[in-house]
Amino acid sequence: MTYVAMGPGALDYQPCRYGTSKLLFRGPRRELDEPYVAFVGGTETYGRFIEKPFAALVEEETGQRCVNFGCLNAGIDVFARDPYVPGAAAAAMITVVQVMGAQNMSNRFYSVHPRRNDRFLAPSDLLKTIFREIDFSEFHFNKHLLTTLRKVSPDRFDAIYTELQAAWVTRMRLLVKQMHGQVILLWFADHHPAEDILPLSGLGDDPLFVTRGMIAEVAPYVTRVVEVVPSSRAQEDGTEGMVFAPLEALVAKELPGPRAHAETAAAIVQAMSGMI
């Protein structure tokens, strides 16, 4: 189970559940007996350290009920396997689906935690065969695992990189196809989608491994694609306006602030024009 630490200066996210889902979502809990807009995504959609994440701002601007199904550290697997969220999204007037990284999915090489998709569970026999020199018991998070594998052998890592990209496209298509209504695919990051090239070292920026070409492969299955890269002013804000405990400062620096959420909300509202 996932808990959000509550310490001095921390936000009360009013975590809640819906239906048969075991996931904890950003509150307050909303009734789903009236028309609503659903938001599905990871930590950015959840709005960690943000008093009013972009889902709440869209509701204020449009007057439409908005339900935040954002889940901390989520990947596509969280929602694709959930017994409730796909159906709730299918019943929505519009569903906004955040582009999430490709590393947080079970695949031919490794499995991830079913609810905390950023957690590495176990390597497959195939991965153990390819990387015989690696002791996989020392890894607990996917990024740590992948960073190490690429450092050990960039050539052997290429097979994992290709697998994750192909799996992302397939599962993203399946996910949005379960949402029978209108779907907005949202790119929300501090950079534009890259071409299919890894950096010379490391893994690159979040959402990991997702390229413009991959988004283009999913685009025919959604109503609109919205690409939001926060303005230089929003990025220069740093943690200004964010609410977090002192020990959370390093994590907060890696996440978008209130101005970035406001810009994202404005882009979504514009995309929704004519869809309601």
Side-chain angles (χ1 to χ4, degrees), residues 78-142:
V78 157
F79 302 108
R81 297 178 177 181
D82 190 81
Y84 186 81
V85 172
M93 302 165 55
I94 299 171
T95 302
V96 179
V97 181
Q98 179 191 349
V99 172
M100 295 165 277
Q103 81 279 14
N104 292 338
M105 302 182 300
S106 291
N107 56 83
R108 291 192 305 134
F109 293 101
Y110 62 88
S111 58
V112 304
H113 191 281
R115 291 188 295 278
R116 286 292 301 272
N117 288 171
D118 61 327
R119 300 287 183 96
F120 168 73
L121 285 187
S124 68
D125 289 341
L126 177 59
L127 185 61
K128 288 188 286 188
T129 299
I130 295 173
F131 285 91
R132 295 181 182 275
E133 70 271 44
I134 298 295
D135 177 7
F136 291 98
S137 65
E138 67 182 60
F139 300 106
H140 302 286
F141 293 92
N142 304 328

Side-chain angles (χ1 to χ4, degrees), residues 130-170:
I130 295 173
F131 285 91
R132 295 181 182 275
E133 70 271 44
I134 298 295
D135 177 7
F136 291 98
S137 65
E138 67 182 60
F139 300 106
H140 302 286
F141 293 92
N142 304 328
K143 279 190 176 181
H144 182 202
L145 167 73
L146 294 170
T147 299
T148 300
L149 296 183
R150 189 174 189 219
K151 185 176 180 180
V152 168
S153 176
D155 290 339
R156 283 179 280 167
F157 178 81
D158 280 347
I160 301 170
Y161 175 62
T162 302
E163 161 73 9
L164 290 174
Q165 289 187 312
W168 185 94
V169 171
T170 299

Side-chain angles (χ1 to χ4, degrees), residues 18 32 36 38 40 67 69 83-95 179:
Y18 288 93
L32 305 185
Y36 58 90
V40 174
V67 182
F69 289 118
Y84 186 81
V85 172
M93 302 165 55
I94 299 171
T95 302
M179 303 167 183

Side-chain angles (χ1 to χ4, degrees), residues 9-243:
L11 277 176
D12 179 4
Y13 299 100
Q14 301 180 58
C16 60
R17 289 191 173 89
Y18 288 93
T20 56
S21 178
K22 294 181 179 180
L23 302 175
L24 282 175
F25 303 107
R26 174 76 181 254
R29 191 178 189 279
R30 313 305 304 275
E31 294 298 326
L32 305 185
D33 56 352
E34 294 183 10
Y36 58 90
V37 178
F39 289 79
V40 174
T43 301
E44 291 80 8
T45 298
Y46 187 94
R48 191 173 186 189
F49 309 130
I50 305 296
E51 289 188 274
K52 290 186 178 181
F54 58 80
L57 296 175
V58 170
E59 179 171 288
E60 287 186 356
E61 179 66 23
T62 64
Q64 295 290 335
R65 177 174 299 187
C66 292
V67 182
N68 191 335
F69 289 118
C71 185
L72 291 174
N73 303 303
I76 300 173
D77 278 7
V78 157
F79 302 108
R81 297 178 177 181
D82 190 81
Y84 186 81
V85 172
M93 302 165 55
I94 299 171
T95 302
V96 179
V97 181
Q98 179 191 349
V99 172
M100 295 165 277
Q103 81 279 14
N104 292 338
M105 302 182 300
S106 291
N107 56 83
R108 291 192 305 134
F109 293 101
Y110 62 88
S111 58
V112 304
H113 191 281
R115 291 188 295 278
R116 286 292 301 272
N117 288 171
D118 61 327
R119 300 287 183 96
F120 168 73
L121 285 187
S124 68
D125 289 341
L126 177 59
L127 185 61
K128 288 188 286 188
T129 299
I130 295 173
F131 285 91
R132 295 181 182 275
E133 70 271 44
I134 298 295
D135 177 7
F136 291 98
S137 65
E138 67 182 60
F139 300 106
H140 302 286
F141 293 92
N142 304 328
K143 279 190 176 181
H144 182 202
L145 167 73
L146 294 170
T147 299
T148 300
L149 296 183
R150 189 174 189 219
K151 185 176 180 180
V152 168
S153 176
D155 290 339
R156 283 179 280 167
F157 178 81
D158 280 347
I160 301 170
Y161 175 62
T162 302
E163 161 73 9
L164 290 174
Q165 289 187 312
W168 185 94
V169 171
T170 299
R171 279 182 224 176
M172 201 63 166
R173 284 175 174 173
L174 291 173
L175 180 63
V176 298
K177 284 173 70 175
Q178 292 180 70
M179 303 167 183
H180 305 296
Q182 302 182 97
V183 176
I184 295 173
L185 184 63
L186 172 67
W187 171 276
F188 180 25
D190 62 4
H191 61 285
H192 293 284
E195 301 305 323
D196 193 10
I197 300 174
L198 273 170
L200 294 177
S201 61
L203 301 178
D205 298 316
D206 290 325
L208 279 188
F209 309 150
V210 180
T211 66
R212 189 171 297 281
M214 293 162 65
I215 293 173
E217 290 188 63
V218 177
Y221 298 84
V222 302
T223 310
R224 293 181 183 173
V225 176
V226 173
E227 186 175 316
V228 179
V229 176
S231 65
S232 56
R233 185 178 178 187
Q235 296 192 42
E236 289 166 2
D237 282 348
T239 59
E240 182 179 345
M242 301 173 77
V243 182

